[in-house]
Amino acid sequence: MRVISIKNCCARIRVIVQLMQYHNKAYLLNIPSWNWQQGDDVICVAELKLGFIAQSCLAPGFSTIMANLFAMRSNSEVMTFFIKSLIEFAIYILFFPCI
């Protein structure tokens, strides 16, 4: 993995890694210079997908809203307002799912 070479070369560099499978996270924890407090982070696509599915069970439609939010690519003011509204709604759903 390239991240091991980067961290061995310069341990103070902040690294954000995107993984396809969650079980590869264990390899990152074995890097001596890996430090969560310095901002090193792991984004696992499989965990992200499963998290969206689980959140959609608690709040139906959440995964659809997030998919639409990620798919938008317009810079108009109407879309900016729409995106802000969707983000506020998604935050409301995440923090107050049972209300």
Side-chain angles (χ1 to χ4, degrees):
M1 291 171 53
R2 292 180 187 169
V3 69
I4 296 172
S5 300
I6 292 170
K7 292 301 273 184
N8 285 338
C9 181
C10 186
R12 293 185 180 196
I13 290 179
R14 179 180 176 211
V15 178
I16 300 174
V17 180
Q18 178 182 352
L19 297 176
M20 299 306 284
Q21 299 294 329
Y22 69 92
H23 62 271
N24 291 331
K25 262 188 191 181
Y27 299 124
L28 294 174
L29 299 176
N30 292 332
I31 300 173
S33 56
W34 188 264
N35 191 352
W36 296 100
Q37 286 85 20
Q38 286 184 341
D40 294 339
D41 207 358
V42 178
I43 298 171
C44 182
V45 176
E47 284 182 354
L48 201 59
K49 287 179 185 176
L50 293 174
F52 280 150
I53 292 170
Q55 197 62 38
S56 189
C57 291
L58 293 173
F62 177 77
S63 60
T64 306
I65 289 173
M66 295 307 289
N68 290 339
L69 188 65
F70 290 139
M72 285 185 199
R73 293 196 169 100
S74 178
N75 291 331
S76 69
E77 290 182 21
V78 175
M79 285 297 175
T80 304
F81 174 75
F82 184 64
I83 290 171
K84 286 181 183 177
S85 299
L86 278 177
I87 291 173
E88 289 175 4
F89 180 68
I91 289 172
Y92 181 80
I93 288 174
L94 284 172
F95 291 110
F96 306 107
C98 297
I99 294 177

